[in-house]
Amino acid sequence: MMGSYPAVRLRRTRAHAWSRALHRQTVLTPADLIWPLFVTEGRGVEEPIGTLPGVSRWSVDRIGERALEAVSLGIPCLALFPNTPADKRSEDGQEALNPDNLMCRAAKAIRDACGSDIGILTDVALDPYTSHGQDGLVDDAGNVLNDDTVAVLVDQAVNQAEAGADIIAPSDMMDGRVKAIRMALEMGGHHNVQIMSYAAKYASAFYGPFRDAVGSRGLLKGDKKTYQMDPANGEEALREVALDLAEGADSVMVKPGLPYLDIACRVKERFEVPVFAYQVSGEYAMIEAAAAAGAGEREALVLETLMAFKRAGCSGVLTYHAPLAARLLGG
Ligand code: PBG
C-alpha cells in the first residue's frame, strides 16, 4: 500500500547531506570513464582544437604522458583517434592497414608507458584515412559499399589488435562487420581482444568538432545517412544491438549520448549487457559554450550529465571531460 501525505514526505530523506548520501542510488567514479585522445604527427606537439576548447591533438611522443595521467586519475581506458595527414589519405583509406600508422604507434607508446595498467580502445572505420571523409569505400556513383568495406575493416581491426589494442570499437555502421571482425580476431589468436560495437550510432549533427579534430570535416561531401541511423528511430536501435550481440560484441555503445539517453536505457533493460554511451564532441562543445557564456557552471554540468548516463544504466561513458571529471571525483 502506498502511503500518502503527511505520512509520506519525500523531503524527509533529502533534509541532510548524510541522508542524501545514504539514499543515493547511482555512483559515478573515475572507473566509469573512457578518455578519447586525438593523435597527430610530429614531435613534442600539443595542438589545441578550436571547436573543442580544452582538448588537444598530441604527437605520439606525448601520448604516454596522457596515459600516465589517466592511470593516476583512475581512468581505466583510453580511446584513440588519428589526425591522418592529407598526404596519407586516399580514396581507399589504405593507411588504416599500415602497422606503423599513427594509431598503432600511439597504442605502442601507451603500452610502453603503462604496460597493462590501462585499456586501449581503437576505433574501426575508414573516415580518418579516406580522402572523401566517408567511413567506407565509395563507388563511382558515391555509394558507400558495405561488403567491400567490411573486408577492409577486418584487416584494420587485426592491425590494431597486433599493435596492442584491448578493445576494438567499430564505429562504421556497416552491416555484418562485428561477425567478420570477431572471426578474424579468433583466427589471429586475439581471443581476449574485446569488441565494443558502436551498435546504435545515429547520423547526428553533434559530430562536427570531432570531424575537425581528425581532419575530415572539410573533406566530407554529403552526409552519412545511408549507414548511420535516423534520429527518429528507436526500435531499429534494438535490432542493431541484437545483431551485434549475436555477431559477438562483448559490449555495445549508444552514440551520441544525452540526446539518446532513452535508447541507452531501453538497450540496457532489454538486453542486460554492458552498455556504454559516447558523450560526443558536440555535446562537449555545448557544455563548454554554456559555461563560457555564464549560462551554467562547468563542473556541475559535467558531473550531472555523466551521472545521467549511469542512472540510465550505462556501464561507462566516453567523454572528453574524462580528466576533469576524474579530478572532481577525487581520482
Ligand atoms: C567516425 C567517428 C565519428 C565519431 C567517432 N567515430 C564521427 C562520424 O561518424 O562522423 C564522433 C565522435 C564525436 O563526435 O565525439 N567513424
Side-chain angles (χ1 to χ4, degrees):
M1 256 278 278
M2 290 272 278
S4 63
Y5 172 86
V8 176
R9 290 179 187 264
L10 292 183
R11 290 187 57 190
R12 255 181 227 129
T13 54
R14 295 178 204 144
H16 301 286
W18 65 261
S19 182
R20 292 192 292 275
L22 187 64
H23 289 86
R24 193 160 296 135
Q25 214 186 328
T26 307
V27 252
L28 177 68
T29 77
D32 298 317
L33 307 172
I34 299 177
W35 183 12
L37 289 173
F38 297 105
V39 196
T40 198
E41 290 290 355
R43 288 197 60 79
V45 177
E46 175 182 2
E47 216 168 55
I49 301 158
T51 50
L52 278 177
V55 178
S56 296
R57 304 183 191 96
W58 302 91
S59 53
V60 172
D61 61 321
R62 299 198 59 186
I63 278 289
E65 296 164 22
R66 302 281 74 69
L68 289 167
E69 183 184 348
V71 170
S72 74
L73 289 169
I75 296 171
C77 189
L78 300 173
L80 298 178
F81 297 97
N83 172 41
T84 308
D87 64 335
K88 289 194 174 143
R89 288 174 175 262
S90 57
E91 280 283 309
D92 59 5
Q94 282 294 305
E95 178 65 7
L97 311 186
N98 176 2
D100 213 27
N101 68 21
L102 268 176
M103 178 89 104
C104 294
R105 277 181 281 140
K108 287 176 190 154
I110 292 168
R111 200 58 81 210
D112 286 347
C114 299
S116 56
D117 288 348
I118 196 152
I120 303 174
L121 179 152
T122 55
D123 197 83
V124 168
L126 297 183
D127 55 315
Y129 311 92
T130 54
S131 45
H132 44 69
Q134 293 288 359
D135 290 23
L137 302 176
V138 176
D139 71 10
D140 292 340
N143 301 307
V144 176
L145 301 168
N146 193 86
D147 300 6
D148 294 348
T149 298
V150 169
V152 183
L153 298 177
V154 165
D155 293 343
Q156 180 184 21
V158 170
N159 187 36
Q160 293 172 350
E162 279 167 6
D166 298 295
I167 307 180
I168 299 292
S171 71
D172 53 280
M173 290 300 279
M174 297 301 120
D175 286 319
R177 89 283 206 215
V178 171
K179 180 177 184 183
I181 290 170
R182 185 70 265 163
M183 306 244 290
L185 291 175
E186 294 298 316
M187 300 264 291
H190 302 292
H191 310 292
N192 285 330
V193 172
Q194 304 175 30
I195 297 179
M196 179 188 294
S197 77
Y198 288 68
K201 175 171 176 180
Y202 287 85
S204 170
F206 285 93
Y207 303 150
F210 173 94
R211 292 177 189 168
D212 286 336
V214 300
S216 65
R217 189 180 230 173
L219 305 174
L220 184 66
K221 294 167 206 79
D223 55 47
K224 301 191 177 183
K225 291 181 183 169
T226 70
Y227 46 106
Q228 298 179 351
M229 286 181 54
D230 184 334
N233 296 352
E235 275 168 11
E236 193 183 342
L238 302 180
R239 294 186 75 189
E240 284 284 4
V241 168
L243 287 170
D244 285 2
L245 291 171
E247 291 181 22
D250 299 283
S251 55
V252 292
M253 198 198 297
V254 173
K255 178 183 172 194
L258 284 190
Y260 298 86
L261 211 50
D262 59 322
I263 304 298
C265 191
R266 285 172 75 182
V267 168
K268 184 67 188 181
E269 284 185 351
R270 171 77 68 94
F271 297 99
E272 300 179 316
V273 297
V275 178
F276 291 82
Y278 199 145
Q279 186 174 46
V280 299
S281 57
E283 297 178 73
Y284 173 95
M286 222 158 56
I287 291 174
E288 289 300 311
E297 204 238 304
R298 173 184 289 107
E299 298 181 352
L301 292 170
V302 168
L303 292 181
E304 182 178 334
T305 57
L306 293 175
M307 182 66 86
F309 293 109
K310 292 295 305 289
R311 191 190 62 240
C314 293
S315 298
V317 190
L318 290 89
T319 173
Y320 303 96
H321 278 124
L324 170 65
R327 247 174 231 115
L328 295 172
L329 295 166

